[in-house]
Amino acid sequence: MDEKLQSRVTTDSLPGLAYEVEDASQSVKGGTVADTRDMSRMGKQQELRASLARPRSSISGLILERASAASYGLTNGGTGGVIWVTVGVIFGALCMIASIAEMASMFVSGYTGFAQESYIDLSYRAPTAGGQYHWVSEFAPRIIEKPLSYLVGWCCCLGWVTGNPASAQLTSTLVQGLVLLKNENANVVALWQTALFILIFIVVAVAFNIFLAGKLPLVEGIFLVLHVVGFFAFLITLWAMSDRAPASQVFTQFSDGGGWSNMGLSCLVGITTPLWCFLGPDAGAHMAEELKDASRVLPSAMVWATLFNGLLGLVMLITLCFCLGNVDDVLNSPTGVPIIQVLHNSTGSMVGTTVLTVVLILLSLVGTITCFAASSRQVWAFARDKGFPFSGFIAFVRPGWDIPINALIVVLGVSLLITALNFGSDVALNAIISLSNAALIFSYIASIGCIRLKRWRRQPLLPRRWTLGPLGGPVNDAALAFLLVSFVMSFFPVVPLPSVQEMNWAVLIFGVVIIAATVNYYISAQNHYIAPIALVKQD
């Protein structure tokens, strides 16, 4: 390894930043010289404009939205269950994101895998829009690297694309709940009407990503401020105007509303909602090619976003549980949205409840827009490596636009199809969220597992600009334990012995996708899929 470079890199010494910042002069697409060089050495062209100084979509996560989607956790676990499960999820998510952040900051300096230990004059960084499947291609044993990265690529795309209509449905539910608050007899909750609301928000999100993509950093910056202001507005309103339950009841009252006959299992079944709120910080990784100096900025932003969202989200959740009132009455509210009913019970004001709910709707809509942005980049990156049929069309970026319009159109089509299939059903929404969880979790398990295997074998790790240091092994282990439990629980239905309508069909859909992707790989995809490691240039 180059002596100058080696002297500036710390591999496993101390946690934290471990690399001197390079020159930040601008390249043609708006990134730094380092960004352009990194892309070139990965065999890629800088096709997307690097307009993001920080991945704000990660920072402005789902703090307040968690309160609007807490019904599954309250049904399975009660207030005590949802709070303590969320605490566990925050810890597990921090370990997961820290492990991913370290991979996002790594750069190759001659180490070419498990089979070789020689160094060559090679230096490139790992943050690309591909995210997990790219990292698997980099860090997996060479014998399974290509098929495993292909499978993980499909799971990444499945997880993000199915998250789009689920996010739009949560936005739609808030709008319908606000209408029902004003008029309980309003005819707005038929399944076809819910599907229509979802379609509207999906189209709005895609249109924004196509025609106003350059304004996304500004919009996210504005809504980050609204996010923080809204957080304190909710907090102050609820604590100042609500009747509060005693702490002993809030933290120790558990409920087995799903009828699992086991309180611990019931609480774990309710993990779906808090888990979904913490699977978004890797969105920054999929926007990495539009992020300036990505390998320096991205890792710390991902970790701080998770910590920031986790702590503030936990405060909001605890506040909601203190001010909830009768749990059954809130869950059975005519609005269908617990947080709206809690706000109205607390304030007694239709105007106040409307204003606060509109804040939630706007934040949820921006979340949907950024979800489409991240998912389209994931699909585009995988198509660029020829992971899909018609990859040439999907990966095409029109010169001058510098955004993956074709990938956005494909993501739009799939999202509309999913919406037509679930048609606004709450049971279908839970299944879609579970499917999104399971697919993304599988990709995290594969990528973190590859790094853990390298540590277990005492193979030298790649240099990185953000490192876990000696804590790497324990953090990876904690992340994998958390992810394995979460993966299994993602497939559980809300109630035991479910009917056909109540069944969580995520397990069937996920299994079909895995089998289809595996069969397709060995039949044809292995001949045209280009594993990311194959494109790395050796200078």
Side-chain angles (χ1 to χ4, degrees), residues 487-518:
F487 182 74
V488 173
M489 300 313 301
S490 294
F491 297 124
F492 272 62
V494 179
V495 296
L497 303 177
S499 63
V500 174
Q501 291 76 19
E502 295 171 328
M503 178 62 184
N504 185 348
W505 294 102
V507 62
L508 176 62
I509 301 172
F510 181 79
V512 168
V513 170
I514 291 295
I515 293 172
T518 302

Side-chain angles (χ1 to χ4, degrees), residues 5 8-9 19-23 32-44 103-109 122-129 134-135 138-139 288-289 292-297 462-465 536:
L5 176 64
R8 295 164 63 189
V9 175
Y19 195 89
E20 183 178 329
V21 179
E22 300 268 356
D23 174 52
T32 66
V33 171
D35 293 326
T36 303
R37 183 179 63 248
D38 296 341
M39 293 298 297
S40 175
R41 285 168 176 164
M42 285 184 284
K44 313 288 188 185
M103 286 187 285
S105 73
M106 288 183 177
F107 61 93
V108 173
S109 184
L122 173 65
S123 175
Y124 89 94
R125 293 168 197 144
T128 73
H134 183 101
W135 300 328
E138 287 298 328
F139 309 129
E289 293 178 33
K292 298 176 184 178
D293 203 12
S295 56
R296 180 185 66 84
V297 173
L462 308 179
R464 51 259 192 219
R465 300 174 81 182
V536 174

Side-chain angles (χ1 to χ4, degrees), residues 230-533:
F231 170 80
F232 286 105
F234 274 76
L235 201 68
I236 294 170
T237 298
L238 290 174
W239 281 108
M241 305 186 71
S242 300
D243 294 328
R244 295 183 291 276
S248 58
Q249 176 181 323
V250 170
F251 290 103
T252 63
Q253 185 179 69
F254 297 87
S255 171
D256 183 19
W260 290 95
S261 302
N262 183 293
M263 198 63 69
L265 179 58
S266 181
C267 291
L268 285 176
V269 171
I271 199 175
T272 299
T273 297
L275 181 64
W276 193 55
C277 295
F278 282 96
L279 294 184
D282 73 300
H286 306 304
M287 303 294 288
E289 293 178 33
E290 295 162 86
L291 183 65
K292 298 176 184 178
D293 203 12
S295 56
R296 180 185 66 84
V297 173
L298 178 60
S300 58
M302 291 168 65
V303 173
W304 282 111
T306 305
L307 182 62
F308 178 84
N309 281 337
L311 294 179
L312 294 188
L314 182 61
V315 170
M316 179 58 65
L317 182 61
I318 292 173
T319 298
L320 174 64
C321 291
F322 266 102
C323 305
L324 197 61
N326 186 285
V327 176
D328 292 333
D329 290 344
V330 171
L331 290 178
N332 296 317
S333 164
T335 67
V337 184
I339 185 60
I340 294 180
Q341 190 62 52
V342 171
L343 287 171
H344 189 252
N345 292 345
S346 300
T347 63
S349 167
M350 186 68 70
V351 174
T353 303
T354 300
V355 171
L356 292 173
T357 304
V358 168
V359 171
L360 276 179
I361 292 171
L362 292 175
L363 291 173
S364 185
L365 177 58
V366 172
T368 302
I369 291 172
T370 55
C371 189
F372 270 94
S375 62
S376 62
R377 272 61 173 182
Q378 175 70 84
V379 169
W380 170 77
F382 197 51
R384 182 177 57 182
D385 290 327
K386 303 187 184 303
F388 290 123
F390 310 107
S391 288
F393 169 80
I394 299 173
F396 177 74
V397 176
R398 186 180 299 276
W401 284 72
D402 301 334
I403 54 175
I405 295 178
N406 290 5
L408 275 164
I409 293 173
V410 170
V411 170
L412 169 64
V414 175
S415 299
L416 294 178
L417 178 61
I418 293 174
T419 301
L421 291 175
N422 84 68
F423 219 60
S425 165
D426 286 339
V427 175
L429 172 64
N430 190 42
I432 292 171
I433 291 176
S434 297
L435 178 61
S436 180
N437 285 352
L440 289 175
I441 289 171
F442 179 84
S443 70
Y444 300 147
I445 291 173
S447 54
I448 296 174
C450 290
I451 286 293
R452 188 63 186 99
L453 181 60
K454 288 175 75 69
R455 281 192 161 105
W456 180 73
R457 290 183 172 183
R458 300 186 183 277
Q459 297 284 346
L461 297 180
L462 308 179
R464 51 259 192 219
R465 300 174 81 182
W466 194 97
T467 175
L468 292 171
L471 298 177
V475 170
N476 292 163
D477 290 337
L480 289 172
F482 162 71
L483 290 169
L484 288 170
V485 172
S486 300
F487 182 74
V488 173
M489 300 313 301
S490 294
F491 297 124
F492 272 62
V494 179
V495 296
L497 303 177
S499 63
V500 174
Q501 291 76 19
E502 295 171 328
M503 178 62 184
N504 185 348
W505 294 102
V507 62
L508 176 62
I509 301 172
F510 181 79
V512 168
V513 170
I514 291 295
I515 293 172
T518 302
V519 171
N520 182 63
Y521 175 81
Y522 286 104
I523 290 178
S524 65
Q526 63 177 331
N527 298 320
H528 55 76
Y529 170 61
I530 304 173
I533 188 64

